[in-house]
Amino acid sequence: MTLNVEQEYDRNLGLDYEEIARTVIAQVLEEEGCPYEAEVSLLLVCDKEIHKINLEYRGIDRPTDVLSFPQLLFERPGDFSWAEENEADSFNPDSGELLLGDIIISLDKVAEQADRYNHNRKREYAFLIAHSMLHLLGYDHMTDEEASHMEARQSAILDHLNIRR
């Protein structure tokens, strides 16, 4: 797996951002049965920067905790057969890895939400990585049923890593 991490905001939350992200991403890919090596990009920013991105790409004029920009459009969440059928658009021609997309996380929101939800910063950060990875794999939470399924997947991933509140 290739994880491209860019930290544009130098906020120290006492976490090894890359190690935690790598661990959570690997767990998501394993649990979802991804048959390929994969590539993900992770950008760590402040509230001001994610606010600008949220406004530009989603038309929402406020900061958010995490944004996901999938490279692939899954017909069904976690169904990797589409990638094989669209190989030219799905894989990095140099590495052969499946291009999943980009994750952008506000480190300010990690700290804020950890305090608000009364859990540690590692758990909040890992949760946001798991949540975003599921979006990159085609999951969504637009309906109650989708939200329930996605929440169950997130909880299972974090439980398997023993990352709890």
Side-chain angles (χ1 to χ4, degrees):
M1 169 183 55
T2 297
L3 174 59
N4 303 306
V5 179
E6 187 174 337
Q7 187 172 346
E8 288 188 354
Y9 181 44
D10 191 27
R11 180 158 185 186
N12 184 351
L13 298 179
L15 305 173
D16 185 331
Y17 301 123
E18 185 170 346
E19 179 185 336
I20 294 167
R22 190 173 297 283
T23 299
V24 173
I25 291 168
Q27 187 68 32
V28 170
L29 294 174
E30 179 181 323
E31 291 198 24
E32 291 299 312
C34 181
Y36 310 107
E37 289 296 316
E39 182 176 328
V40 176
S41 293
L42 172 61
L43 178 62
L44 303 173
V45 298
C46 63
D47 272 354
K48 183 178 177 182
E49 185 60 29
I50 208 164
H51 183 164
K52 289 191 310 191
I53 298 166
N54 202 23
L55 181 58
E56 180 179 347
Y57 288 95
R58 297 178 64 222
I60 298 174
D61 192 11
R62 69 175 187 273
T64 188
D65 51 4
V66 63
L67 292 169
S68 309
F69 293 95
Q71 178 73 27
L72 306 175
L73 299 175
F74 285 83
E75 290 181 21
R76 290 182 311 276
D79 178 2
F80 296 93
S81 62
W82 184 91
E84 293 172 6
E85 296 165 8
N86 297 280
E87 187 174 335
D89 298 325
S90 303
F91 294 91
N92 181 323
D94 297 324
S95 68
E97 291 178 311
L98 185 64
L99 295 168
L100 292 178
D102 304 318
I103 298 170
I104 303 173
I105 292 180
S106 167
L107 295 177
D108 293 328
K109 288 289 186 234
V110 171
E112 175 189 318
Q113 291 176 176
D115 292 342
R116 182 182 323 142
Y117 300 128
N118 198 29
H119 54 251
N120 65 54
R121 291 172 174 185
K122 178 180 179 181
R123 195 271 179 198
E124 182 64 23
Y125 179 71
F127 169 82
L128 294 176
I129 297 287
H131 181 86
S132 191
M133 277 299 296
L134 290 173
H135 278 307
L136 296 186
L137 297 178
Y139 287 86
D140 212 337
H141 44 80
M142 298 303 286
T143 67
D144 289 343
E145 183 179 338
E146 288 174 339
S148 178
H149 186 65
M150 192 167 172
E151 288 167 13
R153 296 299 311 128
Q154 292 164 172
S155 292
I157 290 158
L158 296 178
D159 282 349
H160 287 131
L161 293 172
N162 201 27
I163 299 175
R164 296 190 170 84
R165 291 178 185 223

